[in-house]
């Protein structure tokens, strides 16, 4: 995040918010490119009773993405000098994992790889919240709904893995999918 100088950002500056909004928007668009809830593969998956309808995901993610962008922007605005690096790096890693999950689950058609991905997101959320809290408590609090939703998504993903045991026969494909996303530029 070279755009932000080593000095404190002026109180009227919107730069940190613009930077984080752009990063979150890019992650959302890149992730959405892999999602196809109308695919035959996805429709055939056995899903738990607590699976929300597809429209619920469309209603939940925009405010969550907005809160991530605000929290990141606010934390970067509050931090000075090198203290910006940790929350910026944590946010970047988290957004990369968030994007990767869509590709692992939907594009690779691997709920098992998706489960690995969502567990990594959960760990990344803990790091992101901690790094944000180190410079900005309000930003850390704003990330809690996102972390909660991701925890729910992990339970949902795990339930889908459990209800679709025939998909486990191709566990090598799941591991290959994770490796492919991890190596992606």
């Amino acid at each position: 995040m070279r755009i932000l100088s080593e000095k404190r950002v002026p109180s009227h500056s919107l730069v940190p918010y613009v930077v984080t909004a752009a990063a979150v928007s890019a992650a959302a668009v890149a992730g959405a490119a892999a999602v196809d809830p109308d695919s035959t593969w996805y429709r055939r998956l056995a899903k738990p009773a607590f699976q929300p309808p597809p429209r619920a995901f469309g209603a939940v993610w925009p405010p969550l993405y907005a809160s991530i962008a605000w929290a990141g922007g606010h934390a970067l605005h509050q931090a000075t000098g090198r203290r910006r690096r940790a929350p910026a790096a944590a946010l970047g890693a988290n957004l990369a994992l968030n994007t990767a999950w869509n590709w692992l689950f939907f594009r690779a058609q691997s709920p098992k790889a998706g489960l690995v991905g969502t567990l990594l997101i959960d760990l990344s959320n803990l790091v992101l919240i901690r790094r944000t809290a180190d410079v900005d408590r309000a930003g850390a609090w704003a990330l809690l709904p996102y972390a909660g939703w991701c925890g729910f998504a992990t339970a949902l993903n795990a339930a889908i893995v459990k209800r679709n045991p025939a998909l486990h026969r191709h566990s090598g494909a799941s591991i290959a999918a994770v490796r492919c996303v991890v190596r992606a530029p």
Side-chain angles (χ1 to χ4, degrees), residues 76-87:
L76 295 178
H77 189 272
Q78 297 300 313
T80 57
R82 292 179 183 231
R83 292 193 69 202
R84 284 192 193 107
R85 291 181 183 170

Side-chain angles (χ1 to χ4, degrees), residues 34-54:
V35 177
D36 185 4
D38 295 325
S39 72
T40 302
W41 172 81
Y42 183 73
R43 284 186 283 124
R44 287 185 180 165
L45 288 175
K47 298 173 198 75
F50 64 90
Q51 165 86 25

Side-chain angles (χ1 to χ4, degrees), residues 111-135:
K112 194 171 183 182
L115 183 57
V116 171
T118 195
L119 289 168
L120 291 173
I121 292 169
D122 292 336
L123 290 173
S124 175
N125 281 336
L126 295 175
V127 172
L128 177 60
I129 290 168
R130 178 64 195 166
R131 298 277 168 89
T132 301
D134 287 345
V135 297

Side-chain angles (χ1 to χ4, degrees), residues 161-180:
V161 167
K162 184 177 179 180
R163 284 171 174 70
N164 295 276
L167 296 175
H168 302 316
R169 283 185 254 152
H170 299 96
S171 60
S174 297
I175 292 169
V178 170
R179 285 184 184 145
C180 177

Side-chain angles (χ1 to χ4, degrees), residues 57-83:
F57 293 95
V60 167
W61 275 107
L64 289 177
Y65 279 134
S67 69
I68 297 165
W70 181 86
H74 200 260
L76 295 178
H77 189 272
Q78 297 300 313
T80 57
R82 292 179 183 231
R83 292 193 69 202

Side-chain angles (χ1 to χ4, degrees), residues 4-29:
L4 302 174
S5 72
E6 292 297 316
K7 297 178 184 175
R8 184 176 195 103
V9 178
S11 62
H12 63 279
S13 177
L14 295 177
V15 172
Y17 297 98
V18 171
V19 170
T20 56
V24 170
S25 297
V29 169

